[in-house]
Each structure stands twice: as structure tokens, then as C-alpha cells.
Amino acid sequence: MTRKNRTIRTPDSLLEEKLIDQDDLTGVREVAEHYAVSITPAMQQRIVDLDDPVGRQFIPSEAELITTPEERADPIGDDPYTPVKGITHRYPDRLLIKPMHLCPVYCRFCFRREVVGPGEGMLSADEMEAALDYVRSHTEIWEVIFTGGDPLLISPARLRPILAALDAVDHVRTIRFHTRVPVVDPGRITDELVETLTMDTPVWIVVHTNHQQEIGEDARVALRRLSDGGIPLLSQTVLLKGVNDNAEALEGLFRTLVANRVKPYYLHHGDLAQGTSHFRTSIETGQELMRSLRGDVSGTCQPLYVLDIPGGHGKVPIGPTYLRTDGEAHQVSDPWGEQHAYPPRTSDDT
């Protein structure tokens, strides 16, 4: 499909660009009253038809108006771990800093969909300084993770002093950015941005992408620019029904990422965000998909399948189990499902 060179932000623009039908307009307008809409030109160009793996991620639908009893506005429990505005400190040695609540695109399954979108943009200067002071005063913090919203929407000029402040904190030894920008808005990955991200404290970038169809030539160039700048790249993917819930889609995505110097890091089970039940698979489906990749696909292409426990209790691996123990005997399943005995220890070696 040929699209105009503009970001779509309204239901009427979706209709104008033939991304929804007239019959959908009333329902999509109601969705847009609750959750933000944005589809960048790069992602418009990757939509082949309205129900394909890219279209399903970004085009609003009336299914988002359906909520289930287990869904919640704060599905991973950020709120109780927010000591100052813009900070989430759940784990002892690392924290999230959320400098803005805007994104280049709005994923229809987002677990922060209640708080991202039009309205509040960046933290004020005073709020940012309070967040940095929190980092400075907590010497147990080894890693600072930028998320949001999308932190790479911040211009290099505004990002530079924030990073310089963190670079000066002795106990902060690494910085991570979680972002969709290199894939959905790749023109923002400029030489100036790469230079801004290059400093004494190592910066890692975790690229959010869910299907290889998202990764066009401009995205490949952006990823290459980051890796050529010496920035290590990881990825995170959400397991989504109708998008990537089959072995072929996951294999294609992970091979494409590795071919572009991106190590698959996390495969997230879908969170209990309101209005997203149509995207969630069962955990058993995810485990079987991970099992299907083991053995047939290079280990460099294997992410960790994880669940963010609702209520703020942390993230844990939930991949398939290959070991079964009966008394002291072990049975190990190989990647193709065959069982093999593994001997127990015969002594208490020290």
C-alpha cells in the first residue's frame, strides 16, 4: 500500500488512508477516546493488508473496548515502586527512568497504554533533577534503564545533559534504553544521536520488534548505524496472538535480528493490560513455541521467555522444562522430544 509521508494520529486519518472501513469508524473513535493512536510513515509502509502482523499491532479495533476481570490498569505493578516521579525502582540494583510518556507509535497491546499518549510529555527540569538525585543517592543502583514512552524521541540536545549527569555517577556502571524507534521511526537514528549515546558508561539498546515484516531497509540502516557506533543491541518481543504466535514467525524474526547484529533477549508473555485479551496466548502455547525453536534454530536466536508477574512481583523465566527427576534418577528431554537418562551423583564431592 502507498501511504502519505505523515504520521496518522486520528480515526479519520485512518479512514482516509484506508486503514479502517467506514463501518469501523464509530468504534475506533471510541477506542481513541481511551487509548492514543499513532502510526508512523515507516510502519504504514510495512502494512500489506489491514489484518497482517504489522496492521494488527498498530491499527485500533473495537476489540480493545472489551475488558476481562483479570485485566488491570497497572498490570505489572509500577505504581507501588515509584518513589519519585519518573522513577520505578523494583529491583535492588537497577531502576527504570521514564523521562517522557510519548511514543512514535502506539501498540494496541501496550501494558502502559493507560498512561502514554497525548498530554503530558517530558518530565520538567525540576522533576528530572529529582529523578537524577534519587539515582545519585542510592548507591546500590548499578544500572539505569530508560523507558517510557519512548526515550529515543528525546532530541540529542536534551538527552545529552541527562546522560552526562548519569555518566558522572560512580555507582552507575551501565545504561540501557528500551525503544521502538530504530524500527518504527528509523530516521531518528542519526550520527548525532549515536555520538550522544557514546560515552564512558556503556549504553545498551533493547529494540522492541515483534515481526520481521516490521524491519524494512531503513530499519536495517538504523540498526547498522547503532552497531557501527559500538552500541550493543538486544531485542524484546511480545508474544501476540495473530501476529507471531507460530514457530515460523518467531524463527523469521529472530534470524532477521541476529543477521542485523541484534541479540534476541526477551520474549514477553502478554501482560494483563485492559482491552488486550484478543492478543494474549496461553503460557502453554508460548512454552511449546520455545520448545519448537530449541535445537533447530541457533542459540544466538533464542530469547528468554518471561512473565512479568502481575502486582509488581518481578519478571521470571517461564520456558519449557527439559528435566524430570524421580527420586535420584533424572530424565532429560532432548530438543526433539526423546527422553534420555542422566545419572545421579555418586558421591558428595567437595
Side-chain angles (χ1 to χ4, degrees), residues 36-90:
V37 175
S38 182
I39 310 177
T40 58
M43 287 300 94
Q44 294 172 50
Q45 294 297 332
R46 305 310 298 169
I47 297 172
V48 177
D49 64 68
L50 307 189
D51 201 38
D52 71 13
V54 180
R56 286 180 63 85
Q57 292 184 64
F58 302 119
I59 300 173
S61 79
E62 288 186 79
E64 297 173 54
L65 301 174
I66 301 169
T67 59
T68 60
E70 69 273 11
E71 293 176 344
R72 52 192 77 185
D74 182 21
I76 67 169
D78 280 351
D79 290 348
Y81 297 93
T82 304
V84 298
K85 189 172 183 179
I87 293 286
T88 299
H89 192 184
R90 181 182 292 110

Side-chain angles (χ1 to χ4, degrees), residues 11 13 32 43 45 54 68 74-76 90 97 147 171 181 252 262 293 297 299:
S13 295
M43 287 300 94
Q45 294 297 332
V54 180
T68 60
D74 182 21
I76 67 169
R90 181 182 292 110
I97 185 166
T147 183
H171 56 266
V181 162
V262 183
L293 296 177
V297 179

Side-chain angles (χ1 to χ4, degrees), residues 67 117 146 164 216 260 290 321:
T67 59
F146 282 81
N260 285 276
M290 290 304 300
T321 299

Side-chain angles (χ1 to χ4, degrees), residues 17 25 28 38 40 44 64 84 87 91 96 115 155 183 213 219 227 242 275 282 330 349:
E17 296 297 334
L25 184 59
V28 169
S38 182
T40 58
Q44 294 172 50
E64 297 173 54
V84 298
I87 293 286
Y91 300 99
L96 304 180
V115 296
S155 70
V183 170
Q213 187 177 319
S227 62
S282 67
H330 302 298
D349 298 330

